[in-house]
Amino acid sequence: MASTPSLAVSAAAAIFPSAADPRRPPPPSVAIVDKNSSYGRSLQAADNGGGGGMEAPLRPLDVQEAMTMLTEGKAVQSAMYVPLLHRCVETGSLGAARAVHGHMAKTGAGADMFVATSLVNAYMRCGAARDARRLFDGMPERNVVTWTALVTGYTLNSQPALGLEVFVEMLEMGRYPSHYTLGATLNACLASCDVDLGKQVHGYAIKYGAESITSMGNSLCRLYSKLGSLDSALRAFWRIPEKNVITWTTMISACAEDEECVELGLSLFIDMLMDGVMPNEFTLTSVMSLCGTRLDLNLGKQVQAFSFKIGCETNLPVKNSTMYLYLRKGETDEAMRLFEQMEDASIITWNAMISGYAQIMDSAKDDLQARSRGFQALTIFRDLKRSVMKPDLFTFSSILSVCSAMMALEQGEQIHAQTIKSGFLLDVVVNSALVNMYNKCGCIQDANKAFLEMPTRTFVTWTSMISGYSQHGQPQEAIQLFEEMRLAGVRPNEITFVSLLSACSYAGLVEEAEHYFDMMKKEYCIEPVVDHYGCMIDMFVRLGQVEDAFSFIKRTGFEPNEAIWSSLVAGCRSHGNMELAFYAADKLLELKPKGIETYILLLNMYISTERWQDVARVRKLMKQEDVGILRDRSWITIKDKVYFFRANDRTHPQATELYQLLENLLEKAKAIGYEPYQNAELSDSEDDEKPAAGSLKHHSERLAVALGLLQTPPGATVRVTKNITMCRDCHSSIKLFSLLENREIIVRDSKRLHKFKDGRCSCGDFGALL
């Protein structure tokens, strides 16, 4: 019968080539544990009683020797199976573990508790939780290590609830857990987000004096910090008498994930150094992240120098976080230098560069720089596609956000195709970014198609789609989708209600808006913020009910901000209620507004009503607040080439044709009701070309639209991005251009998206305030 067990391990021998190939260096031998364990007792018995000539030598064996003895059919000590099972764990070979188990069953070694526990651990770490549980249930004897292996294994196999059940079962059987068991149970509580049970385990640890053990304290810090209870994590942290690098790093990392705890995280890092604990690469990565949140490049450079001092400068996570800090601070040249020097760049490195450029688009000093950074992100993504690295879901979500910001539809469609090819389209994060991209580019049908094809949806996806319908002037669809969201059991947040109330505002649905406003407060316990109030005010203003708008402000008691008072000024003026318009203007000026467009709005109103003292007052305040000048910029992308325009720009090679086309279109527009409206103070920088005396000044978006009409095929949609709000004159004229040319024209300005079609605009003619 000696040949049978040797056949049973033949599969295992195939998995472990080192057992069959003596030329490979053997792994380290297995050390003998203490004599009180079952393993130690078996060796001691063999030592005392001896054995036949076929017995295994009484010394530690490596994997190759153990496999050789098994395949030769020699009688072996049960502990010899342990290094083989360790190798199964290292290689993740379930088949080899089962083969070793078969040999153990033939030789009776499975009765040894120490070896059986090792097999339970091997099964769990190879993903065979059922096999491990079956073996565990059949064991005649179990110790605390066996129970701990089962709890740990369930957590590793994403079944933390079963691990917690095992822990409860252990206590019910009168077994006492060790601090390792308690630590494993806390990890299961973390994985199942069960902070209440975690607190009970914490109480048990206090009762039996295990809380002060370093590893136990580390588990408690990790549990509380990850589940949003940083105060509890800190209390557990300060109770640990001997803190190691893991302890400090756990708390510093927790602070790095909370923007309000940046100073605390940096303070802990200093305390760590003062305590004589040497940080590792994970600590430095978290500290660099804190510097990035604080946007403190000087401190980041000190941390970078410290990483050189302790030899961590070549560690990839440290290099990634350093590079990302430089990028966040706008030091793009230095960030790019670090990036290009990395020979071991991972997909995380590439993602940091792409997402970093995406984030600093908003902090650019002007729109030209913002678009330049967006193009750099697209270039890095192109280089990534050409490398051996493969984009992941974070890559696609980041680059789609860049396409959204730039209204780069063609690039977005290409990336959409790549997500399908790579299989990442099924990911909810990527699909949500895709829905948002199509919405921002004015393609509501494509956004809806992507939304309907999503296998799973989060509240972010629902909110994005509701917002898309609202921006595209489809309020009924937005309201219907909100009700479907509720029926699906998805809880809306405050941003969802902003989109919903905006849709009600567009359609003038007063009763519905008030119903949802009350629902938000009473049913979902969401306190209104200024954006919710702003939607309600916009609704009353759109309907011409400006008195009701002021009554709403008085009734609710909220303080309008600059945007809301601006909306009231424009609305009251549009509906002819100049008394309330002047009152709103005075309230607006009390806030000392920062936006140049706000001052232009006020100047237009005061000049048109010949209130010259107010004109002087506004100009004086503009000078005091140093608001600068209004820079009018627009972009249009045609066949992967971007064209940039300023007000009255004549630098384009086809400038003559552009102006001629505009003159012809404006003449036709006048015949169907267009009346030019002259805005005040829409001046640009001094170096911008000025219109000749008596000539009509064209703002940048009108020139960009004209180029789109000239260079795109008949019937194609024209898409333009503008850096400030459209003025009334351009809004009125482009609306008629869409009718005259039978084109869909999309202009996304700084406030909203305007979709012009058949002489109408998706904003309901409420989007142009100047």
Side-chain angles (χ1 to χ4, degrees):
M1 296 298 293
S3 60
T4 304
S6 67
L7 289 174
V9 296
S10 60
I15 299 296
F16 306 135
S18 61
D21 186 359
R23 294 171 296 177
R24 294 188 58 175
S29 59
V30 181
I32 299 177
V33 298
D34 105 23
K35 295 184 178 181
N36 292 324
S37 68
S38 58
Y39 176 21
R41 287 195 302 271
S42 65
L43 289 181
Q44 190 176 23
D47 191 27
N48 294 334
M54 298 295 289
E55 287 293 322
L58 298 178
R59 60 181 178 81
L61 297 177
D62 58 37
V63 174
Q64 179 178 331
E65 290 176 308
M67 278 303 305
T68 301
M69 295 185 70
L70 291 183
T71 52
E72 290 177 355
K74 294 181 180 180
V76 296
Q77 297 293 338
S78 59
M80 287 181 55
Y81 292 101
V82 176
L84 298 178
L85 292 172
H86 285 173
R87 188 64 184 275
C88 292
V89 171
E90 291 173 0
T91 59
S93 175
L94 177 59
R98 284 174 172 161
V100 174
H101 187 185
H103 193 281
M104 289 167 55
K106 293 292 184 180
T107 60
D112 187 295
M113 184 175 62
F114 177 77
V115 178
T117 298
S118 296
L119 185 57
V120 169
N121 178 65
Y123 273 142
M124 277 296 189
R125 293 182 180 274
C126 291
R130 290 184 179 180
D131 290 349
R133 181 70 208 213
R134 193 180 304 114
L135 176 63
F136 176 86
D137 290 338
M139 291 176 64
E141 185 183 2
R142 308 164 192 150
N143 62 10
V144 66
V145 179
T146 317
W147 288 95
T148 303
L150 203 63
V151 174
T152 303
Y154 276 126
T155 304
L156 290 173
N157 283 276
S158 303
Q159 297 174 298
L162 294 178
L164 295 175
E165 290 179 9
V166 170
F167 176 70
V168 173
E169 181 184 346
M170 177 184 183
L171 296 180
E172 289 175 345
M173 293 184 67
R175 301 301 179 91
Y176 290 97
S178 68
H179 67 276
Y180 296 110
T181 318
L182 295 176
T185 306
L186 287 172
N187 290 337
C189 292
L190 174 58
S192 58
C193 298
D194 193 340
V195 70
D196 292 331
L197 183 57
K199 289 179 179 178
Q200 294 180 46
V201 176
H202 186 182
Y204 189 97
I206 294 173
K207 180 178 179 180
Y208 289 97
E211 185 193 28
S212 61
I213 298 174
T214 302
S215 62
M216 185 68 195
N218 293 346
S219 297
L220 287 168
C221 290
R222 185 164 53 251
L223 169 76
Y224 287 127
S225 62
K226 292 292 185 182
L227 296 184
S229 184
L230 191 60
D231 290 339
S232 298
L234 280 168
R235 283 194 292 270
F237 172 78
W238 293 120
R239 289 193 188 110
I240 303 173
E242 296 183 8
K243 303 174 182 66
N244 59 18
V245 66
I246 298 174
T247 318
W248 290 99
T249 302
T250 299
M251 290 309 304
I252 293 171
S253 300
C255 293
E257 294 173 3
D258 188 339
E259 292 186 358
E260 297 181 358
C261 298
V262 173
E263 299 304 322
L264 174 60
L266 293 173
S267 176
L268 287 173
F269 178 61
I270 294 172
D271 291 344
M272 176 185 183
L273 297 179
M274 296 293 291
D275 207 35
V277 180
M278 184 63 65
N280 59 19
E281 63 270 23
F282 303 107
T283 321
L284 294 176
T285 301
S286 296
V287 173
M288 198 65 78
S289 177
L290 289 167
C291 296
T293 304
R294 195 184 187 191
L295 294 179
D296 192 336
L297 185 58
N298 290 331
L299 182 59
K301 287 180 178 179
Q302 294 179 48
V303 177
Q304 183 183 13
F306 184 77
S307 69
F308 273 88
K309 182 178 179 180
I310 64 174
C312 288
E313 76 281 359
T314 59
N315 183 269
L316 185 58
V318 175
K319 290 193 291 186
N320 286 343
S321 57
T322 305
M323 177 195 71
Y324 190 65
L325 171 62
Y326 278 107
L327 204 51
R328 287 285 305 276
K329 282 293 292 181
E331 300 285 341
T332 54
D333 291 341
E334 180 63 18
M336 186 60 71
R337 184 187 68 81
L338 291 172
F339 175 68
E340 291 174 347
Q341 288 178 349
M342 291 189 197
E343 297 179 356
D344 55 345
S346 66
I347 189 60
I348 296 175
T349 313
W350 289 89
N351 288 346
M353 288 297 290
I354 294 172
S355 64
Y357 272 109
Q359 289 186 22
I360 62 175
M361 287 178 70
D362 293 333
S363 61
K365 65 181 181 181
D366 54 43
D367 299 276
L368 193 60
Q369 186 185 63
R371 294 190 72 84
S372 174
R373 290 172 173 178
F375 282 119
Q376 187 63 48
L378 289 169
T379 301
I380 294 172
F381 178 74
R382 180 202 63 194
D383 294 341
L384 169 61
K385 290 290 294 178
R386 294 174 178 175
S387 72
V388 296
M389 211 71 65
K390 298 296 181 184
D392 62 9
L393 64 95
F394 300 105
T395 319
F396 285 118
S397 60
S398 295
I399 199 63
L400 283 170
S401 71
V402 173
C403 295
S404 300
M406 299 177 64
M407 208 161 79
L409 179 62
E410 292 182 18
Q411 290 85 349
E413 288 175 332
Q414 293 171 17
I415 294 166
H416 184 182
Q418 292 169 22
T419 63
I420 296 173
K421 183 178 180 181
S422 61
F424 284 110
L425 187 59
L426 297 176
D427 181 81
V428 66
V429 175
V430 175
N431 226 319
S432 297
L434 191 64
V435 170
N436 186 58
M437 186 274 295
Y438 279 124
N439 276 332
K440 292 291 182 66
C441 292
C443 302
I444 190 65
Q445 293 85 3
D446 291 324
N448 184 50
K449 184 174 182 293
F451 176 80
L452 293 175
E453 290 175 351
M454 293 182 68
T456 56
R457 300 167 189 150
T458 65
F459 80 91
V460 175
T461 318
W462 287 94
T463 299
S464 179
M465 198 63 224
I466 292 169
S467 175
Y469 279 130
S470 177
Q471 292 175 14
H472 285 77
Q474 299 182 23
Q476 295 299 337
E477 288 83 350
I479 294 171
Q480 180 182 343
L481 190 61
F482 175 78
E483 293 298 339
E484 291 178 9
M485 175 183 182
R486 296 183 68 209
L487 287 173
V490 180
R491 181 182 177 86
N493 68 352
E494 62 180 37
I495 300 174
T496 314
F497 278 103
V498 170
S499 301
L500 180 65
L501 293 173
S502 178
C504 294
S505 169
Y506 176 88
L509 303 174
V510 178
E511 291 184 6
E512 288 83 349
E514 292 178 339
H515 166 69
Y516 288 124
F517 191 82
D518 290 338
M519 175 193 291
M520 175 182 69
K521 294 190 294 181
K522 296 176 181 178
E523 185 174 337
Y524 293 101
C525 300
I526 297 174
E527 285 300 315
V529 295
V530 68
D531 289 337
H532 300 119
Y533 291 118
C535 291
M536 299 297 289
I537 297 297
D538 281 350
M539 177 184 63
F540 290 122
V541 172
R542 280 175 182 268
L543 295 171
Q545 301 173 6
V546 290
E547 293 87 356
D548 292 338
F550 282 91
S551 297
F552 179 81
I553 294 173
K554 186 176 181 180
R555 185 172 70 252
T556 55
F558 84 99
E559 291 293 332
N561 61 5
E562 179 179 333
I564 293 177
W565 283 122
S566 298
S567 175
L568 286 166
V569 169
C572 292
R573 181 186 177 201
S574 176
H575 293 291
N577 194 330
M578 298 308 298
E579 182 181 353
L580 286 178
F582 293 141
Y583 171 78
D586 288 339
K587 290 292 185 180
L588 182 55
L589 288 170
E590 288 177 9
L591 298 178
K592 294 185 178 181
K594 303 299 181 183
I596 179 65
E597 293 180 72
T598 302
Y599 290 99
I600 299 303
L601 169 68
L602 295 172
L603 284 173
N604 278 324
M605 180 180 71
Y606 288 137
I607 290 174
S608 65
T609 54
E610 299 182 351
R611 294 173 65 107
W612 304 115
Q613 288 185 346
D614 288 324
V615 170
R617 180 163 61 115
V618 171
R619 285 177 171 159
K620 181 180 179 180
L621 188 57
M622 289 176 69
K623 188 174 182 180
Q624 290 175 351
E625 296 298 317
D626 192 25
V627 294
I629 56 178
L630 191 67
R631 300 183 184 276
D632 178 17
R633 305 286 187 265
S634 291
W635 293 264
I636 183 171
T637 303
I638 302 174
K639 295 180 179 178
D640 288 333
K641 188 173 182 180
V642 179
Y643 298 90
F644 163 77
F645 289 94
R646 297 179 293 185
N648 209 56
D649 200 331
R650 292 182 179 271
T651 59
H652 193 275
Q654 292 181 281
T656 302
E657 297 173 60
L658 294 179
Y659 279 84
Q660 186 60 52
L661 174 61
L662 286 175
E663 295 299 331
N664 292 338
L665 287 173
L666 289 171
E667 286 300 317
K668 293 179 182 179
K670 289 176 183 178
I672 56 175
Y674 165 67
E675 294 182 4
Y677 176 85
Q678 186 63 44
N679 295 285
E681 295 293 321
L682 254 173
S683 59
D684 215 320
S685 59
E686 295 180 359
D687 59 345
D688 283 353
E689 192 171 340
K690 302 296 180 183
S695 69
L696 180 65
K697 181 163 184 173
H698 293 295
H699 295 153
S700 61
E701 69 269 37
R702 207 146 63 181
L703 292 166
V705 166
L707 182 66
L709 295 173
L710 273 178
Q711 293 196 359
T712 58
T717 299
V718 176
R719 289 182 171 82
V720 173
T721 307
K722 182 176 172 66
N723 68 326
I724 59 175
T725 307
M726 290 186 75
C727 72
R728 290 186 185 183
D729 186 57
C730 289
H731 190 274
S732 299
S733 59
I734 294 175
K735 186 170 64 172
L736 294 175
F737 291 173
S738 70
L739 178 64
L740 293 170
E741 293 293 304
N742 192 26
R743 294 279 199 113
E744 182 179 74
I745 302 173
I746 296 173
V747 180
R748 198 174 85 195
D749 66 16
S750 61
K751 295 287 179 63
R752 68 191 74 212
L753 183 139
H754 303 265
K755 180 182 280 190
F756 301 96
K757 190 174 183 180
D758 300 327
R760 303 182 65 181
C761 179
S762 60
C763 77
D765 293 342
F766 193 70
L769 300 180
L770 297 180

